[in-house]
Amino acid sequence: MPEMTYSPETTHDASSVTDPDKINLKSIGRWFAIAALIYCMLLAVGMIGAGFKTATAGQAKSLFAFASNPFLGLIIGTVCTALIQSSSTVTSIIVGLVAGGLPVSLAIPMIMGANIGTTITNTIVSAGHMRCSTEFKRAFSAATVHDFFNLMAVIIFLPLEIFTGFLQKTSLAIASMFVGGSSMSIKGINFIKPITKPIIGTLKSMLGSFSPEVQGVLLAILGIGLIFCAITMMGKLLKRLMVGRAKNMLHTAIGRGPFAGITSGMLITILVQSSSTTTSLMIPLVGSGIFSMRQVYPFTLGSNIGTCVTALLAATAVIGGNSLFALQIAFVHLIFNISGVLFIYGIPFLREIPPRCAEWLADYAGRKKRYAACYVLGVFFLLPATCIILAQ
């Protein structure tokens, strides 16, 4: 009779007590792995930056010596940031140059160029998805939307600055309200450097038998390789983890409207003091299909604003007669990025141009990977180098 038939459900009930525990332990382990891979990405970005700085033997400032006019200043800022892989480093150097006497009018285009050059890191990170054309197309579009936005901002605001001095005048008025007679340094607030510097220092010591140039190049190559490995493994883990409540939590911060995305991008970048790092962490999420390029687009814009904190921190350490100008150029960076977000993202027609351009380019790059390589080499190196040569 049906009511006397034995059912194996009791066996399943007994095992159901342990199965969720096993699943939870696996999930916890994967989250720890994600955290470790995020640390690897932070470490890799630091290795690349430290490698290029070591390879230039501390002569990074000399890279800006050719900035004799606004156009060349823009090009030099772009190339140097693409090489150093850190707009925070370049803008801090620029603050130091202004404190040393570089005219603010020449420093402003260099700041704009740093915004363009920093986006190369995203493109390098997106290359970690090259094995799958669909993933690479998504990741590459998320990386290049940052490029196109920053290019648009420069195209709009550089001519405006040349003809009106809008940024220079506004930043001077704001800086004048803050500068006092003593240093305001709070440079010690850095949450990333303390956890990456020991390992980078150890690696540099291990490579100590090489010349500084070779040592720097090797360190940068190791960093690039670490990025590729971290991205590949992270993409696989994220596909398994980003479901249910975890996905909803991220959508709360990123996927529920532009304001939330911009704010979260800004706050996270302020904490890590690197827009390259912040935006690069989003590329695997888009490549894995967890978020779309248009969802992380506002997050990227927020990182543009958040990265300005580094220059402001550097400027607060300057004392003496040029402290006003050092703080002024830091405020130029902040006003430029806020203006770009308000103007470009605030106007629907302009807002759509960067994502459409990114989708168009990603479509070609997804079919033929060489287009991606040509884009990086052409935009960040060959075109600027050609412009510098022609301007001599």
Side-chain angles (χ1 to χ4, degrees):
M1 296 179 66
E3 59 270 22
M4 297 180 64
T5 303
Y6 172 77
S7 172
E9 287 182 359
T10 53
T11 304
H12 290 296
D13 288 338
S15 62
S16 65
V17 176
T18 57
D19 284 347
D21 293 336
K22 292 180 180 178
I23 293 173
N24 287 335
L25 287 174
K26 286 183 179 179
S27 297
I28 292 171
R30 288 169 180 166
W31 278 115
F32 274 111
I34 289 290
L37 290 170
I38 290 174
Y39 172 77
C40 287
M41 285 194 61
L42 300 176
L43 179 63
V45 172
M47 289 168 61
I48 294 170
F52 277 112
K53 281 185 281 188
T54 302
T56 57
Q59 299 301 315
K61 291 184 179 181
S62 64
L63 297 175
F64 299 107
F66 300 103
S68 57
N69 61 63
F71 181 70
L72 284 178
L74 176 70
I75 297 299
I76 295 299
T78 301
V79 173
C80 291
T81 309
L83 289 173
I84 296 174
Q85 293 276 296
S86 172
S87 62
S88 299
T89 299
V90 173
T91 53
S92 296
I93 290 174
I94 294 171
V95 167
L97 290 172
V98 171
L102 178 71
V104 172
S105 59
L106 290 181
I108 290 175
M110 293 161 61
I111 287 286
M112 294 181 178
N115 259 30
I116 297 174
T118 192
T119 59
I120 191 176
T121 307
N122 295 343
T123 310
I124 293 174
V125 170
S126 70
H129 295 273
M130 273 190 172
R131 294 179 180 178
C132 175
S133 295
T134 302
E135 286 190 11
F136 179 63
K137 182 178 176 180
R138 290 194 296 251
F140 194 71
S141 68
T144 54
V145 72
H146 197 190
D147 302 5
F148 286 112
F149 180 88
N150 285 344
L151 284 168
M152 276 190 66
V154 170
I155 290 171
I156 292 170
F157 287 99
L158 181 57
L160 180 65
E161 175 61 22
I162 291 173
F163 289 111
T164 69
F166 157 70
L167 293 171
Q168 187 170 355
K169 294 174 183 177
T170 306
S171 60
L172 180 60
I174 297 175
S176 298
M177 296 186 292
F178 286 90
V179 171
S182 60
S183 172
M184 303 171 286
S185 178
I186 47 175
K187 289 167 62 179
I189 302 177
N190 191 319
F191 299 91
I192 298 303
K193 194 172 182 178
I195 63 174
T196 59
K197 186 177 180 180
I199 294 182
I200 293 175
T202 301
L203 290 173
K204 290 177 70 174
S205 298
M206 293 172 63
L207 299 171
S209 59
F210 298 98
S211 67
E213 293 78 9
V214 175
Q215 182 183 358
V217 171
L218 290 175
L219 189 61
I221 291 173
L222 288 173
I224 293 172
L226 183 57
I227 281 181
F228 273 86
C229 293
I231 290 301
T232 301
M233 296 174 66
M234 194 183 301
K236 293 179 180 178
L237 287 173
L238 285 171
K239 286 181 179 178
R240 300 177 181 178
L241 287 170
M242 298 310 300
V243 292
R245 182 177 300 177
K247 184 175 180 180
N248 292 334
M249 290 173 62
L250 276 177
H251 271 290
T252 300
I254 300 174
R256 291 189 178 177
F259 182 78
I262 291 172
T263 302
S264 58
M266 179 181 67
L267 293 177
I268 293 174
T269 305
I270 288 173
L271 289 175
V272 303
Q273 295 193 27
S274 172
S275 61
S276 300
T277 300
T278 305
T279 54
S280 295
L281 292 175
M282 292 297 104
I283 303 303
L285 299 178
V286 179
S288 302
I290 296 165
F291 293 114
S292 69
M293 175 267 288
R294 290 177 180 271
Q295 284 178 306
V296 302
Y297 178 27
F299 183 89
T300 298
L301 307 188
S303 72
N304 267 9
I305 299 173
T307 194
C308 300
V309 169
T310 305
L312 287 168
L313 293 177
T316 60
V318 178
I319 58 176
N322 287 329
S323 59
L324 172 64
F325 304 118
L327 190 59
Q328 180 187 359
I329 195 61
F331 274 118
V332 164
H333 195 199
L334 179 63
I335 296 168
F336 170 60
N337 281 327
I338 291 176
S339 299
V341 172
L342 293 176
F343 187 75
I344 297 175
Y345 198 80
I347 300 176
F349 169 72
L350 294 177
R351 180 194 311 159
E352 282 297 306
I353 294 177
R356 288 185 180 181
C357 290
E359 288 168 347
W360 170 79
L361 182 61
D363 186 56
Y364 280 95
R367 286 180 286 176
K368 296 183 179 179
K369 306 299 188 299
R370 65 174 178 268
Y371 287 132
C374 291
Y375 169 78
V376 173
L377 293 175
V379 171
F380 294 101
F381 299 106
L382 296 181
L383 181 60
T386 302
C387 292
I388 292 173
I389 293 171
L390 292 176
Q392 298 303 310

